[in-house]
């Protein structure tokens, strides 16, 4: 079968991958190896991986229906697409006869396509329904969170996931506003919080609020934790884990997992004092996008790329 590239969206209009070359180089692709792209999006990373495979295999994941439609444009004997959350990576790999892989790539966060689709409710720039579901078959939306969570629950998620300094005030405002009119659209939420957004930094503030809701709706922290631990179980010795994150919560979890073998807590040691962890960091500090790339793609500004290599089992 020949490979047919998705419409210009794969690497352009649909979603422009950040640090594409750096991600692919970091995988150190063996043409006959097995690789996993757990955030297919528009297929930009997957296509680049497929370009380097000769006898190898790529399994890509994405729970988004739009991403599945993009994946249908790729006809390649080495390519398998799984419409699933990456927290189920190990299960789907097993279903496809894969027990060990040579590299895993994750480009976390929201794709450009999702942000630029008003109907998805991810963006602070457009008026749209308070949806924010990456898997649109699930029932809970951002509107459900805003209209049904208690003030204490909202305070916790705004503080933890949005890192708002006035999280308690924001939670109280939401609870007061929804009494008169339930939240339905993104502009409703922005209007409700306009008076407590820091002057001159409103856009950043609303972005933090939206981030908190998106993380909660999609259970992103739980999914990331489950995924990271599965990486250690399926990665072959010497294989590369390449993860790009866009906010400090994600990056902290990835860094901790690489350095300590767990996203929370300290590294465990065996009887002889050897650290028990599956990976070692390839570089101490994360790789960041060049000024030139940031100028062309503002999403690259907050990106942090971490690379780790699977250690030999003792």
């Amino acid at each position: 079968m020949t490979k047919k590239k998705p419409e210009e969206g794969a690497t352009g209009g649909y979603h422009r991958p950040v640090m594409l070359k750096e991600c692919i180089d970091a995988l150190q692709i063996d043409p006959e190896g097995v690789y996993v792209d757990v955030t297919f999006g528009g297929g930009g990373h997957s296509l680049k991986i497929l370009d380097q495979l000769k006898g190898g295999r790529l399994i890509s994941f994405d729970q988004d229906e739009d991403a599945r439609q993009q994946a249908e444009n790729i006809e390649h004997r080495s390519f398998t697409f799984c419409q699933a959350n990456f927290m189920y990576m190990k299960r789907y790999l097993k279903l496809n006869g894969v027990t060990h892989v040579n590299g895993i790539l994750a480009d976390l966060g929201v794709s450009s396509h999702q942000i630029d689709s008003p109907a998805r409710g991810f963006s602070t720039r457009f008026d749209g329904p308070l949806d924010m579901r990456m898997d649109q078959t699930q029932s809970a939306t951002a509107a459900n969170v805003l209209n049904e969570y208690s003030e204490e629950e909202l305070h916790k998620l705004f503080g933890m996931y949005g890192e708002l300094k006035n999280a308690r005030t924001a939670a109280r405002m939401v609870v007061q506003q929804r009494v008169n009119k339930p939240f339905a659209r993104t502009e409703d939420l922005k209007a409700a919080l306009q008076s407590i957004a820091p002057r001159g930094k409103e856009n950043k503030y609303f972005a933090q609020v939206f981030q908190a809701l998106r993380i909660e709706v999609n259970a992103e922290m739980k999914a990331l934790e489950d995924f990271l631990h599965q990486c250690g179980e399926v990665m072959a010795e010497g294989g590369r884990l390449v993860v790009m994150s866009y906010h400090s919560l994600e990056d902290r979890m990835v860094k901790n997992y690489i350095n300590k073998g767990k996203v929370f807590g300290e590294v465990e040691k065996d009887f002889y004092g050897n650290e028990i962890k599956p990976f070692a960091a390839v570089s101490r500090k994360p790789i960041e996008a060049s000024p030139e790339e940031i100028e062309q793609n503002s999403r690259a500004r907050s990106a942090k790329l971490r690379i780790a290599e699977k250690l030999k089992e003792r």
Side-chain angles (χ1 to χ4, degrees), residues 3-21 23-24 37 39-51 66-67 70-71 73-74 105 107 111-113 116 293 296-297 299:
K3 178 177 68 181
K4 183 171 67 178
K5 293 196 175 188
E7 53 201 81
E8 186 54 34
T11 54
Y14 186 99
H15 174 67
R16 179 188 294 177
V18 174
M19 290 191 274
L20 178 58
K21 183 179 186 303
C23 287
I24 301 304
D37 176 1
T39 46
F40 179 83
H45 290 111
S46 286
L47 285 171
K48 289 293 185 183
I49 294 170
L50 286 168
D51 282 343
D66 291 344
Q70 288 286 311
N73 292 313
I74 299 179
L105 172 67
D107 180 1
S111 75
S112 308
H113 173 74
D116 292 338
E293 181 171 3
Q296 295 174 4
N297 184 0
R299 188 169 178 263

Side-chain angles (χ1 to χ4, degrees), residues 4 23-24 37 41 49 80 82 89 103 111 137 139 143 192 209 217 223 231 246 253 266 290:
K4 183 171 67 178
C23 287
I24 301 304
D37 176 1
I49 294 170
T80 303
C82 301
M89 177 181 68
S111 75
T137 63
S139 57
V209 172
V217 168
C231 289
Y246 297 87
M253 291 174 71
E266 292 303 313
S290 67

Side-chain angles (χ1 to χ4, degrees), residues 27-28 30 33-35 99-103 231-241 277-280 308-314:
L27 285 171
Q28 293 189 336
D30 172 358
V34 180
Y35 293 87
T99 53
H100 286 92
V101 303
N102 302 100
C231 289
E233 297 171 13
V234 302
M235 190 77 78
E237 181 184 314
R240 288 289 186 93
L241 173 63
K277 61 179 187 177
F279 290 95
E309 191 166 291
K310 180 69 184 295
L311 296 167
K312 187 183 296 186
E313 293 187 16
R314 296 180 185 278

Side-chain angles (χ1 to χ4, degrees), residues 9 30 39 52 67 99 115 183 238 248 257 271 274 314:
D30 172 358
T39 46
Q52 296 191 33
T99 53
I115 292 173
F183 287 94
S248 58
Y257 177 70
F271 180 77
N274 299 308
R314 296 180 185 278

Side-chain angles (χ1 to χ4, degrees), residues 144-162:
N144 294 128
V145 172
L146 290 166
N147 293 322
E148 298 168 15
Y149 276 32
S150 69
E151 183 175 328
E152 191 53 44
E153 288 172 324
L154 290 169
H155 169 214
K156 183 178 178 181
L157 81 89
F158 285 149
M160 186 181 302
Y161 296 156

Side-chain angles (χ1 to χ4, degrees), residues 24-313:
I24 301 304
D25 288 349
L27 285 171
Q28 293 189 336
I29 295 172
D30 172 358
E32 297 185 353
V34 180
Y35 293 87
V36 184
D37 176 1
V38 297
T39 46
F40 179 83
H45 290 111
S46 286
L47 285 171
K48 289 293 185 183
I49 294 170
L50 286 168
D51 282 343
Q52 296 191 33
L53 296 182
K54 291 181 176 60
R57 187 175 179 190
L58 172 67
I59 298 95
S60 295
F61 288 76
D62 207 300
Q63 59 188 330
D64 193 289
E65 173 62 20
D66 291 344
R68 184 193 63 76
Q69 293 175 17
Q70 288 286 311
E72 286 183 349
N73 292 313
I74 299 179
E75 296 176 3
H76 196 296
R77 70 184 64 195
S78 301
F79 178 67
T80 303
F81 180 78
C82 301
Q83 188 173 3
N85 189 309
F86 60 43
M87 70 188 295
Y88 304 117
M89 177 181 68
K90 186 178 177 183
R91 180 189 304 176
Y92 277 83
L93 289 178
K94 187 175 181 181
L95 286 172
N96 283 280
V98 175
T99 53
H100 286 92
V101 303
N102 302 100
I104 299 172
L105 172 67
D107 180 1
L108 305 175
V110 190
S111 75
S112 308
H113 173 74
Q114 290 170 325
I115 292 173
D116 292 338
S117 301
R120 303 297 295 274
F122 287 111
S123 177
T124 62
R125 292 182 290 128
F126 312 111
D127 181 34
L130 280 162
D131 191 322
M132 302 194 194
R133 294 170 298 169
M134 291 186 180
D135 175 0
Q136 292 184 288
T137 63
Q138 73 176 51
S139 57
T141 66
N144 294 128
V145 172
L146 290 166
N147 293 322
E148 298 168 15
Y149 276 32
S150 69
E151 183 175 328
E152 191 53 44
E153 288 172 324
L154 290 169
H155 169 214
K156 183 178 178 181
L157 81 89
F158 285 149
M160 186 181 302
Y161 296 156
E163 300 181 291
L164 298 184
K165 293 180 180 177
N166 62 354
R168 187 178 294 280
T169 304
R172 186 165 61 249
M173 294 287 279
V174 166
V175 171
Q176 290 173 352
Q177 290 282 342
R178 73 190 188 191
V179 171
N180 301 318
K181 180 187 174 187
F183 287 94
R185 301 189 68 80
T186 54
E187 288 299 317
D188 297 340
L189 177 58
K190 289 170 66 177
L193 299 179
Q194 184 68 47
S195 64
I196 62 169
R199 293 189 66 177
K201 296 181 179 179
E202 291 90 349
N203 289 341
K204 181 181 178 183
Y205 183 79
F206 293 137
Q208 288 174 279
V209 172
F210 277 47
Q211 172 183 294
L213 289 168
R214 191 199 79 220
I215 290 172
E216 179 68 12
V217 168
N218 298 289
E220 290 180 30
M221 297 297 99
K222 174 70 165 63
L224 179 57
E225 180 177 4
D226 288 356
F227 157 70
L228 288 170
H229 284 289
Q230 290 172 42
C231 289
E233 297 171 13
V234 302
M235 190 77 78
E237 181 184 314
R240 288 289 186 93
L241 173 63
V242 179
V243 184
M244 186 152 51
S245 57
Y246 297 87
H247 60 76
S248 58
L249 293 173
E250 290 174 338
D251 182 57
R252 199 176 304 132
M253 291 174 71
V254 174
K255 178 183 177 181
N256 284 348
Y257 177 70
I258 290 172
N259 292 336
K260 301 175 181 179
K262 53 176 72 172
V263 295
F264 304 110
E266 292 303 313
V267 65
E268 294 180 17
K269 296 183 179 181
D270 64 17
F271 180 77
Y272 301 101
N274 299 308
E275 293 184 341
I276 303 172
K277 61 179 187 177
F279 290 95
V282 170
S283 58
R284 191 173 65 85
K285 290 188 174 182
I287 298 170
E288 297 182 355
S290 67
E292 292 77 19
E293 181 171 3
I294 292 171
E295 190 175 334
Q296 295 174 4
N297 184 0
S298 60
R299 188 169 178 263
R301 184 176 293 109
S302 59
K304 286 183 167 50
L305 178 64
R306 293 190 183 273
I307 309 162
E309 191 166 291
K310 180 69 184 295
L311 296 167
K312 187 183 296 186
E313 293 187 16

